[in-house]
Amino acid sequence: MTTPHEALRAWRGERTVVSCAALVGVKHPTWLDWEAGKKRPRIEHAIEIEKLTEGAVPVVGWTDNASPRLVQEADELSGQTIDKEEADRLAAKVRKG
């Protein structure tokens, strides 16, 4: 099973850490912490990562489960609506790899 940290690193490929970090509005040490699994991105950054990676690194991958709070915050920040059932389905898919 691929972790979001591994997926983020794989997606970055040959792109520079500095350029990727700038695209989501953080400094490169923060991006490196995400890739190393030392830290998880805040919800607004996780949403930007999902958009940037075209879904290769989904928001729900950064959580242990899709809590109602996460679903609500993601809805508000992304402008898209996703219900708890869909979030749970996506979380299960991420856990399966």
Side-chain angles (χ1 to χ4, degrees):
M1 177 195 318
T2 302
T3 68
H5 313 92
E6 294 165 337
L8 187 64
R9 175 62 188 100
W11 176 83
R12 183 169 60 83
E14 297 298 315
R15 298 172 185 95
T16 68
V17 173
V18 172
S19 66
C20 291
L23 290 171
V24 295
V26 298
K27 297 187 186 232
H28 73 277
T30 300
W31 184 279
L32 287 172
D33 284 344
W34 295 341
E35 283 189 4
K38 293 179 181 177
K39 295 182 180 177
R40 294 181 182 192
R42 292 175 27 196
I43 186 68
E44 60 268 22
H45 293 132
I47 290 168
E48 288 303 313
I49 290 168
E50 182 174 300
K51 290 177 185 176
L52 179 65
T53 64
E54 298 179 340
V57 185
V59 171
V60 295
W62 296 102
T63 64
D64 294 330
N65 59 39
S67 70
R69 185 179 136 276
L70 171 69
V71 173
Q72 181 181 2
E73 286 183 24
D75 286 351
E76 291 170 2
L77 292 169
S78 71
Q80 298 177 1
T81 302
I82 182 171
D83 61 22
K84 176 80 167 91
E85 184 177 297
E86 177 66 5
D88 288 342
R89 186 188 67 74
L90 291 171
K93 183 177 177 182
V94 168
R95 284 190 291 273
K96 285 182 183 177

